[in-house]
Amino acid sequence: MQKEDVARLFTTPVDSPAYAPARYRFTNREYLNIYYRTDPEVLRRLVPEPLTVTDPIVRFEIMRMPDTTGLGDYTEAGQLIAVEHEGEKGEFNLAMYVDSVPAISSGREYSAYPKKSGSPTLYVDSDTLVGTLDYGTLRVATATMGYKHHALDPAEARAQVCSPNFMIKTIPDYDGGLRVCDLVRTQISDLTVKSAYTAPGRLELFAHAMAPLADLPVREVVGASHILTDLTLSPAQPVFDYLTA
């Protein structure tokens, strides 16, 4: 392999890339969102400056992705915290649990998504939409929502899915320090809402040392949504460099 060929690599192994070099297009990407109020002091300990917490709201999401360019079929779950950055409202992406190695690798390397391995599911049980998350052999989250009770305004559904996301991007250096430590921002703009509903929702979280979703306790569920979309992810852009601050 010539030097110029090495410089064109986007990931390793050199003979079988960990993920496809694609701009990821999602067809029939399905969301179950549970919005809930939690302990504001816990949020302030977790949310990094220069983000600020103005309302102690967390979104627990399960995303079912049956048809993704380059990545195939997989499911994710995670927690996002309502924040502001320089007057702009958005969400801080705290953690994501994913059942696909290529999706984990590409999300962490190509962008800044805080992904680790987990086993989420999303399915319909009689008249209820159910989302679960297992870490290893243990259940750490169960979300339920009435199935398609009330149509949700497509504009509201779009606002939920297209809220700006903030994440921490780190790349370690060879000496054990950090080569990159940035706050990054991304926002979905290429999106089609195919259906959207709201209904009563509930969320139960279970304590776990390595999947600490329950550290953000559910004080009050304030909303739930079930949204089906087609969308393309947008690149992340740095907005704050912690190494030069």
Side-chain angles (χ1 to χ4, degrees):
M1 182 179 289
Q2 302 299 311
K3 288 181 291 185
E4 56 269 25
D5 296 323
V6 176
R8 284 195 291 266
L9 292 173
F10 61 93
T11 188
T12 58
V14 298
D15 62 342
S16 59
Y19 52 87
R23 189 176 183 201
Y24 298 116
R25 178 68 179 171
F26 298 82
T27 302
N28 291 330
R29 178 165 171 162
E30 185 178 13
Y31 291 80
L32 167 58
N33 298 307
I34 304 291
Y35 290 86
Y36 70 93
R37 197 177 309 281
T38 192
D39 185 338
E41 292 305 315
V42 177
L43 296 185
R44 293 188 183 101
R45 290 198 297 269
L46 289 173
V47 172
E49 293 181 331
L51 301 175
T52 59
V53 176
T54 58
D55 197 8
I57 299 298
V58 178
R59 176 165 65 94
F60 174 78
E61 66 176 9
I62 300 273
M63 293 181 291
R64 180 82 188 93
M65 291 160 283
D67 183 356
T68 308
T69 304
L71 296 175
D73 182 344
Y74 66 103
T75 306
E76 294 183 350
Q79 284 174 310
L80 299 97
I81 300 167
V83 295
E84 283 192 11
H85 178 254
E86 297 182 345
E88 180 184 46
K89 294 184 181 297
E91 295 176 310
F92 174 62
N93 199 326
L94 179 63
M96 305 175 79
Y97 299 87
V98 189
D99 63 2
S100 163
V101 171
I104 293 172
S105 301
S106 62
R108 294 180 65 92
E109 292 182 15
Y110 184 68
S111 189
Y113 292 99
K115 298 187 179 187
K116 60 190 298 186
S117 181
S119 300
T121 65
L122 182 62
Y123 61 95
V124 178
D125 182 8
S126 184
D127 61 349
T128 308
L129 184 64
V130 179
T132 67
L133 173 61
D134 293 349
Y135 190 84
T137 62
L138 299 178
R139 179 64 43 87
V140 294
T142 300
T144 56
M145 174 183 164
Y147 188 71
K148 295 188 176 182
H149 283 202
H150 309 288
L152 181 65
D153 185 340
E156 171 60 23
R158 182 179 181 86
Q160 290 185 19
V161 175
C162 295
S163 175
N165 265 214
F166 297 92
M167 302 172 286
I168 299 294
K169 172 75 171 182
T170 61
I171 298 177
D173 212 337
Y174 296 102
D175 62 1
L178 286 174
R179 177 173 289 194
V180 173
C181 187
D182 290 339
L183 178 69
V184 305
R185 178 191 181 279
T186 186
Q187 184 174 17
I188 294 168
S189 57
D190 178 12
L191 174 133
T192 301
V193 175
K194 303 174 85 168
S195 67
Y197 292 89
T198 186
R202 295 292 184 272
L203 176 63
E204 189 172 12
L205 303 176
F206 305 92
H208 194 293
M210 300 307 295
L213 285 81
D215 286 3
L216 299 180
V218 180
R219 302 295 190 217
E220 178 191 11
V221 172
V222 297
S225 62
H226 176 206
I227 304 171
L228 185 65
T229 68
D230 293 341
L231 63 86
T232 305
L233 289 184
S234 300
Q237 301 293 333
V239 295
F240 188 83
D241 183 349
Y242 291 96
L243 300 181
T244 62

